[in-house]
């Protein structure tokens, strides 16, 4: 499964990812119209400042997923094939157990049901947050691809002559 990863060194804290996510989850899918909708669209991703570093927080689709294990209504579930963790909003009872156990603060209470990244199911060409990021701080990769990117960046930062 490809996931959305985040490079803290590239994030400007511009909130473009939040805005794009909210628009993607609006009825109109239009930035100009979304702000006037009866139900204000809610972003599934949020940018936080932590010790002087901007961090874009979203669901990591954990394995195992604490939110799935804690869900008393069975609304949270993990797809065995794709690895995506989703919330069945028709089953969610708003107990917020998933919110309490999420180690990343990525699952949030909505007005009626849990709000979390749903991997932009209506989009065919990638994720709204990734496409909107002006610096490339957000990117998609498999776990293996991410580990290779991470290892490559470590090698680039290592002083010459050291292994």
């Amino acid at each position: 499964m490809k996931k959305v990863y985040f490079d803290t060194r590239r994030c400007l804290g511009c909130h473009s990812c939040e805005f794009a996510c909210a628009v993607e989850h609006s009825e109109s899918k239009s930035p100009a119209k979304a702000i006037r909708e009866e139900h204000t669209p809610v972003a599934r991703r949020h940018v936080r400042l932590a010790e002087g570093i901007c961090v874009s927080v979203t669901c990591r689709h954990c394995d195992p997923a604490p939110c799935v294990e804690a869900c008393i209504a069975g609304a949270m579930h993990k797809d065995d094939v794709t690895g995506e963790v989703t919330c069945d909003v028709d089953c969610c009872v708003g107990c917020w157990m998933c919110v309490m156990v999420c180690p990343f603060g990525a699952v949030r209470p909505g007005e009626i049901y849990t709000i979390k990244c749903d991997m932009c199911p209506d989009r065919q060409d990638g994720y709204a947050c990734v496409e909107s990021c002006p610096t490339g701080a957000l990117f998609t990769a498999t776990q293996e691809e991410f580990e290779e990117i991470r290892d490559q960046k470590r090698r680039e930062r290592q002083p010459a002559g050291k292994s």
Side-chain angles (χ1 to χ4, degrees):
M1 167 184 172
K2 286 210 175 209
K3 293 184 178 182
V4 177
Y5 289 96
F6 174 69
D7 185 342
T8 57
R9 294 166 299 177
R10 291 182 163 206
C11 183
L12 301 173
C14 69
H15 299 266
S16 291
C17 55
E18 279 183 17
F19 182 72
C21 182
V23 169
E24 178 61 29
H25 291 88
S26 69
E27 291 176 23
S28 66
K29 308 259 190 254
S30 162
K33 294 177 183 175
I35 59 174
R36 294 187 195 98
E37 291 176 5
E38 181 179 343
H39 299 286
T40 305
V42 178
R44 272 79 172 147
R45 170 178 293 281
H46 52 282
V47 177
R48 298 277 188 251
L49 187 63
E51 297 181 18
I53 298 171
C54 292
V55 180
S56 184
V57 179
T58 194
C59 179
R60 305 286 200 285
H61 302 275
C62 302
D63 188 22
C67 59
V68 172
E69 294 171 7
C71 182
I72 63 172
M76 299 292 281
H77 50 90
K78 185 170 187 70
D79 186 294
D80 293 332
V81 176
T82 66
E84 292 178 29
V85 175
T86 57
C87 177
D88 182 344
V89 298
D90 294 327
C91 293
C92 183
V93 296
C95 70
W96 313 134
M97 291 299 294
C98 54
V99 174
M100 290 185 265
V101 300
C102 178
F104 303 104
V107 181
R108 298 180 296 159
E111 288 182 30
I112 301 169
Y113 53 82
T114 294
I115 303 292
K116 64 171 289 310
C117 175
D118 59 5
M119 305 295 287
C120 296
D122 299 335
R123 292 177 62 94
Q124 301 298 319
D125 302 329
Y127 308 111
C129 59
V130 174
E131 287 182 14
S132 70
C133 183
T135 62
L138 296 175
F139 60 96
T140 58
T142 63
Q143 179 72 30
E144 294 78 22
E145 290 168 340
F146 172 75
E147 289 172 1
E148 179 57 36
I149 292 167
R150 179 197 61 203
D151 293 346
Q152 178 63 35
K153 288 184 181 193
R154 283 182 182 159
R155 287 190 293 270
E156 290 170 0
R157 287 192 309 258
Q158 202 168 31
K162 290 209 171 189
S163 314

